[in-house]
Amino acid sequence: ARMIEASRKAGVGPMAAVAGAVAVYVGRGLMNFSDEVLIENGGDLFIFVKRTLIVGIYAGSSPFSRKIGLKIEPAIIPMGIGTSSGKVGPSKSFGKAHAATIVSHDPILADAVATGMGNRINRPDDLGPACHWAMSVDGVIGCLGILDDKMAALGKIELVPVN
């Protein structure tokens, strides 16, 4: 049901949220055994940590790949990061983004909206409108879109350099 709800908000099919859903349910289950949990599932993350974390962005052949990251501060509510790509990995995308990344307190929503955002990026001029669309989805905290040597970012996210 949560995959269907998230996919409706994002305008994609429910399977676009499956990796986020797996991360959520595994992560929530592990929270019973640990005071910190980090689940990564093919670019979709469930994060519940008590320290600052830098999550690196892999964007294939883009010059930004492995050079920038998202700084995630500790939070009492788990965070989710979803990344979709039309150029990296086996997932189907109707766009050409190297990376379409969404931050939300709901990893299922982050996964679905990342797919919807990635579907909207086919040329550099699409980055800004795709980010604005993503930020219009209730529950999205921030977004990052990368295509070749161009990027757009909006919301309550902090980009940092990584080595």
Side-chain angles (χ1 to χ4, degrees), residues 43-96:
D44 297 289
L45 286 84
F46 173 92
I47 301 167
F48 184 69
V49 294
K50 295 182 176 183
R51 57 200 146 121
T52 300
L53 186 68
I54 306 296
V55 176
I57 302 295
Y58 179 69
S61 62
S62 167
F64 296 117
S65 189
R66 298 182 179 169
K67 300 276 193 289
I68 60 172
L70 295 172
K71 185 175 183 181
I72 305 297
E73 298 291 346
I76 42 175
I77 300 171
M79 296 294 297
I81 299 177
T83 300
S84 182
S85 177
K87 298 190 177 193
V88 178
S91 297
K92 177 68 176 164
S93 176
F94 295 109
K96 295 182 176 138

Side-chain angles (χ1 to χ4, degrees), residues 133-151:
W133 169 83
M135 292 302 298
S136 76
V137 178
D138 185 40
V140 172
I141 295 169
C143 68
L144 169 67
I146 298 174
L147 177 60
D148 298 322
D149 63 346
K150 304 283 189 274
M151 81 162 101

